[in-house]
């Protein structure tokens, strides 16, 4: 799938919009909304059998974050105009030069974490029917560029995006991004790639381009996806995906999440040749409060899985600590979720999972192997003055014979106020 073909598809979707009746104008002020989230985050990683030049034995920090999201409505008329704003503030509560690099706080040239950092970004938007153009601060969430809000504050990108959903069931998107704001920084910078778990800081790109779409049908139980992403002069990546949910016998719901990526070098080949094909499958079965998962993931080709730093990906076996996306890696996952609402305790959820990978081409003359065990607990208060407060606890143990071992703990408290 070529980039210009995807952009043409989005443009056709926008053209169809011209034949659709316009939605009633909601008003610039009348249609506006704003939320403020307070997020308290403790993050700890203990390292052993350290591999690589960084011999720091522990990363441990505690911070308080605030995330303001303001979205305006649209001005009346055939084309409505509006403005969105994202404001973030991070405050250091605890850190030390020998425990930095958790991803919660910026690191200064003196080796110490900053006391605070902040950012305000805005995006202009224009809408006709159900086709919308945004220019400015963006937070896309795509198979080729997943929204990675996994630390104190969310990341963002700067550029332009076009989204059209005028065709029933079909959502088309395209975009051109020129820089990124990382999750633990206040400013902008050029984008770099990750191959597997290793950042490739020796080369940076001036742009990330994407285009693609998702089509839902079968009463929204089935979704097919086709996407293209290009980190200019570094790599180009294509994705095809299928998600399906099927009720069985009235008591069970079976699910399937399948995806295939294909990537190669792009343009000036700033990181040399890239050759990766990735397949993942995650099957599920839900009954009452129980959900069981079984996943398989395989990397093929001469390279690890490429992505934009420091993003996660929708790979089925990517988890908080290890990615299981190294060169030639094959991995399996078993997972069990339970929603305690089935026992009369709404708001309490749990996840236990185990993953094992092997067949890694380490380039060092031996086969790489790794495994990880995760336990997650979450609870959202249902009543009282703190109703809506969410508390999450995570413990992870990850072991490998070719990369650093990790023992990880996280404690996250989040509360969101609806301002208007």
């Amino acid at each position: 799938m070529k980039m210009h073909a995807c952009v043409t598809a989005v443009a056709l979707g926008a053209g169809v919009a011209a034949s659709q009746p316009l939605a009633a104008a909601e008003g610039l002020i009348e249609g506006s909304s704003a939320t403020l989230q307070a997020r308290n985050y403790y993050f700890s990683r203990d390292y052993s059998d350290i591999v690589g030049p960084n011999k720091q034995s522990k990363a441990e920090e505690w911070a308080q974050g605030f995330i303001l999201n303001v979205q305006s409505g649209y001005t009346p008329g055939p084309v409505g105009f509006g403005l969105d704003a994202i404001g973030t503030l991070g405050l250091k509560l605890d850190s030390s030069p020998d425990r930095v690099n958790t991803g919660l706080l910026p690191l200064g040239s003196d080796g110490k974490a900053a006391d605070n950092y902040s950012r305000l970004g805005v995006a202009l938007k224009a809408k006709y029917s159900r086709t919308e153009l945004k220019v400015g601060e963006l937070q896309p969430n795509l198979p080729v560029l997943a929204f990675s809000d996994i630390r104190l504050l969310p990341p963002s990108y700067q550029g332009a995006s076009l989204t059209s959903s005028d065709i029933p069931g079909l959502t088309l998107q395209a975009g051109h991004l020129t820089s990124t704001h990382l999750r633990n920084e206040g400013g902008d910078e050029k984008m770099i790639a990750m191959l597997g778990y290793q950042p490739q800081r020796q080369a940076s790109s001036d742009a990330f381009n994407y285009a693609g779409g998702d089509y839902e049908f079968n009463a929204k139980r089935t979704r097919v996806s086709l996407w293209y992403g290009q980190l200019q002069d570094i790599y180009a990546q294509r994705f095809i995906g299928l998600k399906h949910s099927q009720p069985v016998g009235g008591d069970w719901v079976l699910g399937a999440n399948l995806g295939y990526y294909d990537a190669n070098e792009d343009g000036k080949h700033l990181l040399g040749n890239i050759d990766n094909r990735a397949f993942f499958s995650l099957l599920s079965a839900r009954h009452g409060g129980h959900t069981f998962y079984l996943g398989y993931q395989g990397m093929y080709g001469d390279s690890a899985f490429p992505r934009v730093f420091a993003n996660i990906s929708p790979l089925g076996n990517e988890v908080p600590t290890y990615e299981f996306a190294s060169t030639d890696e094959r991995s399996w996952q078993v997972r069990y979720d339970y929603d305690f609402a089935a026992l009369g305790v709404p708001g309490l959820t749990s996840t236990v999972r185990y993953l094992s990978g092997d067949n890694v081409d380490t380039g060092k003359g031996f086969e790489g192997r790794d495994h990880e065990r995760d336990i997650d607990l979450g609870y959202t208060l249902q009543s009282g003055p703190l109703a809506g407060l969410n508390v999450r606890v995570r413990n992870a143990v990850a072991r490998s014979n070719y990369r650093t071992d990790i023992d990880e703990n996280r404690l996250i408290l989040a509360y969101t106020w609806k301002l208007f």
Side-chain angles (χ1 to χ4, degrees):
M1 181 171 57
K2 300 296 186 182
M3 182 69 182
H4 64 80
C6 295
V7 174
T8 300
V10 175
L12 288 174
V16 172
S19 65
Q20 304 296 320
L22 293 177
E26 57 187 351
L28 184 68
I29 304 301
E30 295 82 356
S32 64
S33 62
T35 61
L36 175 64
Q37 183 183 100
R39 183 180 295 176
N40 189 278
Y41 210 122
Y42 169 80
F43 184 100
S44 172
R45 276 183 176 172
D46 285 290
Y47 303 111
S48 61
D49 291 332
I50 295 174
V51 177
N54 183 8
K55 301 304 180 182
Q56 182 178 323
S57 62
K58 187 172 188 177
E60 182 182 31
E61 293 179 315
W62 180 30
Q64 175 66 49
F66 296 94
I67 305 164
L68 175 67
N69 274 287
V70 180
Q71 296 183 331
S72 77
Y74 295 88
T75 58
V79 179
F81 296 91
L83 181 72
D84 291 346
I86 304 169
T88 59
L89 171 64
L91 303 173
K92 179 177 70 177
L93 298 180
D94 180 63
S95 180
S96 174
D98 60 342
R99 297 186 279 109
V100 293
N101 289 320
T102 63
L104 300 185
L105 298 164
L107 182 62
S109 58
D110 59 357
K112 297 180 180 179
D115 291 332
N116 59 78
Y117 64 111
S118 61
R119 180 179 179 85
L120 177 62
V122 298
L124 299 173
K125 58 185 181 181
K127 186 176 185 181
Y128 178 76
S129 186
R130 298 184 67 186
T131 296
E132 183 178 56
L133 172 68
K134 286 188 176 184
V135 179
E137 195 87 352
L138 305 173
Q139 293 179 322
N141 187 19
L142 319 165
V144 290
L145 192 70
F147 182 53
S148 304
D149 188 13
I150 57 174
R151 291 294 196 275
L152 182 70
L153 300 176
S156 58
Y157 295 86
Q158 295 71 51
S161 69
L162 181 66
T163 302
S164 177
S165 55
D166 286 276
I167 301 175
L170 179 64
T171 300
L172 299 171
Q173 298 186 62
H176 173 73
L177 310 175
T178 56
S179 59
T180 181
H181 154 239
L182 297 177
R183 61 198 180 198
N184 62 332
E185 297 288 348
D188 304 342
E189 57 185 71
K190 291 186 177 182
M191 290 166 278
I192 67 172
M194 291 180 66
L195 292 179
Y197 65 96
Q198 296 178 322
Q200 306 296 312
R201 303 184 188 278
Q202 66 271 33
S204 61
S205 175
D206 292 326
F208 183 86
N209 301 302
Y210 66 87
D214 303 303
Y215 181 60
E216 290 187 328
F217 58 98
N218 190 24
K220 295 187 177 182
R221 292 199 302 267
T222 306
R223 177 195 294 178
V224 292
S225 302
L226 189 63
W227 286 88
Y228 174 86
Q230 175 205 32
L231 187 58
Q232 186 174 298
D233 292 324
I234 295 181
Y235 73 83
Q237 187 177 58
R238 294 146 294 275
F239 171 78
I240 183 170
L242 169 68
K243 288 185 178 181
H244 179 68
S245 177
Q246 183 64 49
V248 176
D251 295 328
W252 288 86
V253 177
L254 304 181
N257 180 12
L258 310 176
Y260 178 78
Y261 287 92
D262 177 35
N264 58 272
E265 64 278 359
D266 178 73
K268 298 178 181 178
H269 302 191
L270 294 181
L271 290 181
N273 294 332
I274 293 177
D275 172 38
N276 175 264
R277 292 169 300 284
F279 169 77
F280 70 85
S281 60
L282 189 62
L283 308 179
S284 64
R286 176 166 55 87
H287 181 271
H290 309 273
T291 307
F292 306 91
Y293 295 87
L294 177 64
Y296 172 78
Q297 181 171 292
M299 300 292 130
Y300 304 90
D302 298 327
S303 305
F305 184 81
R307 74 192 74 196
V308 175
F309 177 80
N311 273 24
I312 59 172
S313 79
L315 288 170
N317 283 2
E318 176 148 337
V319 287
T321 306
Y322 282 177
E323 305 81 9
F324 296 90
S326 297
T327 304
D328 275 339
E329 182 157 19
R330 313 288 192 265
S331 60
W332 290 90
Q333 174 185 177
V334 290
R335 170 177 162 179
Y336 171 66
D337 291 1
Y338 188 71
D339 186 342
F340 287 82
L343 291 179
V345 189
L348 180 61
T349 59
S350 66
T351 295
V352 179
R353 60 189 159 207
Y354 178 81
L355 303 96
S356 179
D358 59 19
N359 199 58
V360 175
D361 181 359
T362 63
K364 299 177 181 179
F366 64 91
E367 176 191 359
R369 298 174 178 270
D370 43 23
H371 65 268
E372 177 172 339
R373 186 272 300 150
D374 301 332
I375 299 175
D376 289 3
L377 291 173
Y379 181 64
T380 300
L381 274 68
Q382 303 295 297
S383 60
L386 293 179
L389 174 67
N390 178 260
V391 181
R392 287 181 289 160
V393 178
R394 171 173 294 159
N395 173 262
V397 175
R399 296 290 183 266
S400 172
N401 70 341
Y402 69 97
R403 58 183 292 190
T404 299
D405 294 343
I406 297 174
D407 291 326
E408 178 179 299
N409 290 286
R410 307 189 196 193
L411 173 62
I412 310 160
L413 288 79
Y415 186 83
T416 300
W417 291 271
K418 182 175 176 58
L419 303 180
F420 55 85

